[in-house]
């Protein structure tokens, strides 16, 4: 069946282009990560550090002081990545895999299991109060790298699985931010939350006035971002909030025929903005993020002492074992209790895959490690363990995904 004559000719190509961009961007992302790791442990490591610590300001020192390039990549540009993620989730909540409340509950329950079990494993291994401070390190998931690895598995992955991973990783990020705010910092500033609320009201006001131009939402979006920063939260998560606020219905009104669904989806504001931003995120922002964050220096690493070894063992076991065990067990319990349901096309082996990819803690885990440990030896051991665990989790996830795809292909040919 062809497209309705009124629909744009590129509509049928959008899903295929999206998958193709995802797969290619996964390769670019991992290549950038490899370059950063090699660079940071080479004779030119000082140049790598100097580059990302270069101070940049926006000419508004009274509101926002000059920050280094690393900050502007992680907390500035990555807001656009999180905006695209928020748009995807908004679209799926409107008429996709997450439109069923019982399905949408699954990633919330799974994320809770993926936080609790890794923390418990870490605490069981680390009985010393000095090393126990790192209990939150294996609870984090790096959403950018997890999505990048998932994109390398191929087209055999059900679309609903990507939505589950995105939603789970965002909830995981929110949990990590709350942990940082309440256990590793002075808490959340209420004044910042009021600024966030003002920005959200600005977005809703523009929508009520019927403003269609995407650039018009830049100012209230910046207010939301600044409020997140002042509140002590991860400002890049402002992108998720703005994405979820984007209207998902098209200008064509209610759907009249089954064939109109495709037309409505392509023309909706959510898909229009996502299609515009996705290539820039995939081939620009995400590789730059990898280049800025994958440069983990292994100087000062010594695993001969008991404390660094315990820290490393707790982190690796938490990310590689605790994440999949917690995610799968929590999901099984919730489904058995009929609190939620698996999306169409998703099997339990897919949940194991999500659990493994959830073990890619990487940048968020390293960030928490920097807050947890002042001791250089413990910090070096934690960073090394996060790197090892993330690579191991990514490799296992990639192997499982490829094996599932190969077996599905063989069954189809039989």
């Amino acid at each position: 069946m062809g497209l309705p004559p009124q629909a744009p000719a590129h509509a049928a190509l959008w899903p295929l282009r999206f998958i193709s961009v995802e797969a290619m961007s996964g390769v670019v992302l991992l290549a950038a990560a490899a370059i950063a790791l090699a660079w940071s442990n080479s004779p030119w490591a000082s140049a790598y550090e100097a580059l990302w610590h270069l101070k940049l300001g926006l000419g508004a020192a009274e509101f926002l002081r000059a920050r280094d390039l690393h900050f502007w990549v992680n907390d500035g540009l990555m807001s656009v990545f999180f905006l695209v993620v928020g748009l995807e989730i908004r679209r799926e909540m409107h008429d996709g895999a997450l439109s069923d409340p019982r399905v949408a509950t699954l990633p919330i329950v799974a994320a809770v299991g993926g936080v609790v079990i890794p923390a418990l494993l870490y605490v069981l291994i680390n009985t010393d109060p000095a090393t126990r401070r790192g209990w939150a390190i294996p609870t984090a998931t790096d959403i950018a790298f997890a999505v990048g690895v998932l994109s390398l598995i191929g087209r055999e992955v059900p679309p609903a699985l990507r939505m589950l991973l995105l939603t789970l990783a965002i909830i995981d990020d929110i949990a990590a931010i709350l942990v940082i705010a309440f256990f590793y910092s002075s808490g959340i500033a209420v004044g910042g939350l009021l600024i966030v609320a003002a920005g959200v009201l600005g977005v809703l006001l523009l929508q009520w006035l019927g403003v269609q131009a995407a650039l018009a939402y830049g100012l209230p979006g910046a207010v939301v971002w600044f409020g997140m920063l002042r509140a002590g939260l991860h400002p890049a998560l402002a992108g998720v909030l703005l994405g979820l606020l984007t209207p998902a219905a098209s200008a064509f009104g209610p759907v009249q025929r089954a064939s109109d669904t495709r037309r409505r989806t392509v023309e909706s504001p959510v898909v229009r903005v996502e299609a515009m931003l996705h290539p820039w995120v995939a081939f620009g922002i995400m590789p730059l993020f990898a280049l800025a964050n994958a440069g983990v220096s292994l100087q000062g690493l010594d695993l001969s002492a008991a404390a660094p070894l315990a820290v490393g063992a707790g982190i690796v076991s938490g990310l590689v074992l605790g994440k999949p065990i917690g995610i799968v067990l929590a999901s099984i319990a919730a489904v058995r209790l009929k609190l939620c349901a698996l999306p169409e096309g998703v099997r339990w082996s897919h949940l194991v895959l999500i659990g493994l990819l959830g073990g890619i803690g990487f940048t968020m885990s390293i960030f928490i490690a920097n807050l947890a440990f002042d001791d250089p030896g413990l910090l070096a051991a934690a960073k090394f363990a996060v790197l090892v665990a993330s690579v191991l989790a990514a490799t296992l996830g990639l192997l499982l995904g490829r094996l599932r795809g190969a077996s599905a292909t063989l069954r189809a040919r039989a």
Side-chain angles (χ1 to χ4, degrees):
M1 182 182 294
L3 283 169
Q6 303 93 333
H10 66 270
L13 299 177
W14 162 243
L16 293 177
R17 266 210 315 271
F18 187 88
I19 294 171
S20 176
V21 167
E22 284 290 295
M24 289 187 291
S25 70
V27 175
V28 176
L29 180 75
L30 295 181
I35 291 171
L37 185 60
W39 188 359
S40 63
N41 290 280
S42 72
W44 303 279
S46 58
Y48 178 87
E49 290 295 323
L51 172 64
W52 301 112
H53 286 92
L54 180 66
K55 293 288 185 179
L56 297 174
L58 296 180
E62 63 273 22
F63 299 108
L64 185 64
R65 70 177 188 273
R67 307 273 185 152
D68 59 24
L69 183 57
H70 189 268
F71 169 86
W72 291 117
V73 171
N74 282 14
D75 298 295
L77 289 179
M78 283 300 285
S79 300
V80 183
F81 166 77
F82 278 103
L83 172 60
V84 171
V85 170
L87 291 169
E88 287 191 60
I89 293 175
R90 179 69 183 95
R91 170 167 51 83
E92 292 295 326
M93 290 172 63
H94 179 66
D95 57 5
L98 299 178
S99 58
D100 182 349
R102 294 182 71 240
V103 172
T105 304
L106 180 63
I108 300 174
V109 175
V112 172
V115 169
V116 172
I117 300 301
L120 288 176
L121 279 177
Y122 182 91
V123 171
L124 286 174
I125 294 172
N126 287 271
T127 56
D128 187 342
T131 61
R132 188 173 285 183
R133 273 186 55 81
W135 65 270
I137 298 172
T139 65
T141 295
D142 190 308
I143 183 171
F145 279 94
V147 171
V149 174
L150 182 65
S151 69
L152 295 176
I153 293 174
R155 298 180 183 178
E156 294 82 8
V157 175
L161 194 67
R162 174 186 167 84
M163 285 303 104
L164 284 178
L165 178 61
L166 285 173
T167 311
L168 184 149
I170 286 177
I171 296 167
D172 194 286
D173 257 7
I174 293 172
I177 288 165
L178 292 176
V179 166
I180 291 170
F182 290 110
F183 293 95
Y184 296 105
S185 68
S186 56
I188 297 175
V190 177
L193 295 181
L194 294 177
I195 297 174
V196 171
V200 169
L201 288 176
V203 170
L204 296 176
L205 177 62
L206 290 177
Q207 290 179 356
W208 182 73
L209 293 173
V211 177
Q212 297 292 321
L215 288 177
Y217 293 86
L219 179 58
V223 172
V224 173
W225 182 91
F226 180 69
M228 290 277 196
L229 180 65
R230 292 296 297 267
L233 301 173
H234 197 320
L237 282 179
V240 177
L241 183 57
L242 295 171
L244 294 175
L245 290 173
T246 304
S250 72
F252 293 115
V255 178
Q256 301 297 326
R257 304 185 307 273
S259 60
D260 284 339
T261 302
R262 187 161 27 179
R263 172 182 170 186
R264 179 192 62 177
T265 302
V266 172
E267 293 295 337
S268 68
V270 161
V271 175
R272 187 172 66 248
V273 177
E274 183 183 351
M276 176 180 67
L277 295 176
H278 186 239
W280 294 96
V281 169
F283 296 112
I285 293 175
M286 287 180 67
L288 190 59
F289 169 80
L291 194 63
N293 290 276
V296 179
S297 175
L298 302 179
Q299 288 185 351
L301 178 64
D302 180 13
L303 297 177
S304 60
L309 190 59
V311 167
I315 292 171
V316 172
S317 62
L319 287 173
V320 180
L321 297 177
K323 275 290 184 182
I325 291 173
I327 288 171
V328 173
L329 287 184
S331 301
I332 291 175
V335 171
R336 292 286 185 267
L337 293 171
K338 301 187 183 304
L339 299 176
C340 54
L342 292 177
E344 184 179 353
V346 174
R347 303 289 179 263
W348 288 113
S349 58
H350 288 128
L351 265 296
V352 177
L353 173 59
I354 283 187
L356 289 171
L357 296 181
I360 305 175
F362 212 50
T363 55
M364 199 64 181
S365 292
I366 290 174
F367 180 73
I368 296 174
N370 281 315
L371 298 175
F373 297 127
D374 295 323
D375 185 292
L378 296 181
L379 182 58
K383 288 182 177 181
F384 177 70
V386 169
L387 181 62
V388 169
S390 298
V391 170
L392 187 55
T395 303
L396 291 173
L398 193 57
L399 287 175
L400 177 60
R402 291 290 189 179
L403 287 174
R404 287 200 86 269
S407 62
T409 303
L410 289 175
R411 285 197 302 268
R413 291 176 179 174

